[in-house]
Amino acid sequence: WGPYAEFHRVNVTGTECVIAACRAEKINRLVYTSSPSVVFDGKDMEGPDERVPYPDHYEAHYPKTKALAEQTVLKANCPELCTVALRPHLIWGPGDRHLAPRLIARARSGQLKIIGSGKNLIDTVFIDNAAEAHLLAAERLQWGSPVAGRAYFITNGDPRPTFEMINGIIGAAGCPPCTSTVPVPVAYAMGALFELWHRITGNENEPRITRWVANELATAHWFNIDAAKRDLGYNPKVSIDEGFKRLAAWFKDHPPQEPPKA
């Protein structure tokens, strides 16, 4: 949430600065952290691989600017600067200051709702697996390799129902399971109203829900990671169930705090 110019400044201009710095300092490898949202068109994504095209329209500034940045990185690939883009989906685990804190804060306030049935399958990736994928990409990235100039989906390769993932994460913090649901059309309409109200009032804080978030939570998102396995040697070592255990252990020593303001 926020003005397009700010998203463009950070995601696009910032990435262009990184590429320019690599060229100036003669750095010959660049691993870019992208997002599967760059190809999200508002519909279910059930097992696509990296051949899925960029959509013609985005409902939020984040995926649009991330897509522009990703394309900039891949176009920059050359013998002097080899580039690769990784698309980790919903990174979670110990140390998370984005996804888990928001879910937990809303669960504790009674505002957490599951949009739709919650049975739609989604891919996620545990933080250790996401980090290893980046290291593997850096090791294999060189001119002429299959990795150079390509994008890769990075997940745990274990799609789970949305309600299972949400309750697993908040359960690790000691919150009871969320059983409250909101019909998809209602959530989408609420998102539109919240967005309109924030624009009218000039409220720069993140709305409780947006149309993009409603679509993201209500649709299936799981991806084919065969290319990452083949080209990067990627094999997620920490399972989702083991990840829940590690997250619960971490929360014992690091009680969840309120997420930072948008």
Side-chain angles (χ1 to χ4, degrees):
W1 182 255
Y4 178 81
E6 184 67 5
F7 280 89
H8 190 278
R9 184 185 70 82
V10 173
N11 287 335
V12 182
T13 305
T15 299
E16 291 171 345
C17 289
V18 171
I19 293 172
C22 288
R23 289 171 173 161
E25 298 300 325
K26 295 181 170 34
I27 294 170
N28 59 11
R29 291 179 297 170
L30 174 59
V31 180
Y32 175 71
T33 307
S34 185
S35 164
S37 65
V38 301
V39 294
F40 180 51
D41 63 359
K43 302 174 183 176
D44 289 327
M45 304 195 75
E46 299 175 297
D49 62 20
E50 289 78 6
R51 291 173 293 184
V52 63
Y54 298 105
D56 296 326
H57 170 74
Y58 294 95
E59 286 191 339
H61 302 326
Y62 174 77
K64 180 177 181 178
T65 53
K66 287 294 285 187
L68 291 172
E70 178 185 279
Q71 292 173 73
T72 299
V73 168
L74 298 182
K75 288 178 182 177
N77 182 59
C78 65
E80 293 73 32
L81 177 61
C82 297
T83 65
V84 62
L86 302 188
R87 298 169 174 174
H89 192 248
L90 289 176
I91 303 173
W92 62 280
D96 177 19
R97 297 183 66 247
H98 175 64
L99 177 63
R102 281 171 167 76
L103 290 175
I104 294 165
R106 293 192 178 187
R108 289 176 172 174
S109 67
Q111 296 180 351
L112 184 62
K113 311 289 183 183
I114 292 175
I115 298 176
S117 68
K119 296 180 180 179
N120 51 302
L121 297 179
I122 58 170
D123 259 332
T124 64
V125 61
F126 188 71
I127 181 58
D128 293 42
N129 298 331
E132 184 181 34
H134 284 69
L135 295 175
L136 291 170
E139 291 172 0
R140 287 160 174 74
L141 183 56
Q142 59 182 330
W143 185 247
S145 72
V147 179
R150 288 200 56 179
Y152 293 91
F153 291 121
I154 302 296
T155 75
N156 254 63
D158 181 13
R160 302 280 184 97
T162 300
F163 75 84
E164 181 179 331
M165 285 306 306
I166 289 176
N167 285 329
I169 290 173
I170 65 174
C175 298
C178 175
T179 58
S180 181
T181 63
V182 176
V184 177
V186 173
Y188 191 86
M190 289 175 60
L193 288 173
F194 273 116
E195 290 176 40
L196 178 62
W197 179 250
H198 277 242
R199 289 192 180 99
I200 291 174
T201 60
N203 189 339
E204 296 182 356
N205 291 326
E206 182 180 350
R208 283 180 57 184
I209 189 169
T210 64
R211 290 171 295 171
W212 183 60
V213 169
N215 266 343
E216 279 272 323
L217 293 176
T219 52
H221 291 84
W222 56 277
F223 306 90
N224 185 319
I225 59 172
D226 287 349
K229 291 180 177 180
R230 180 189 65 240
D231 296 345
L232 305 180
Y234 172 69
N235 182 32
K237 295 178 180 177
V238 182
S239 70
I240 289 176
D241 294 325
E242 173 62 24
F244 288 149
K245 294 177 183 177
R246 295 188 184 189
L247 184 61
W250 190 80
F251 277 144
K252 288 183 179 179
D253 297 323
H254 305 82
Q257 303 296 319
E258 287 293 321
K261 292 295 183 181

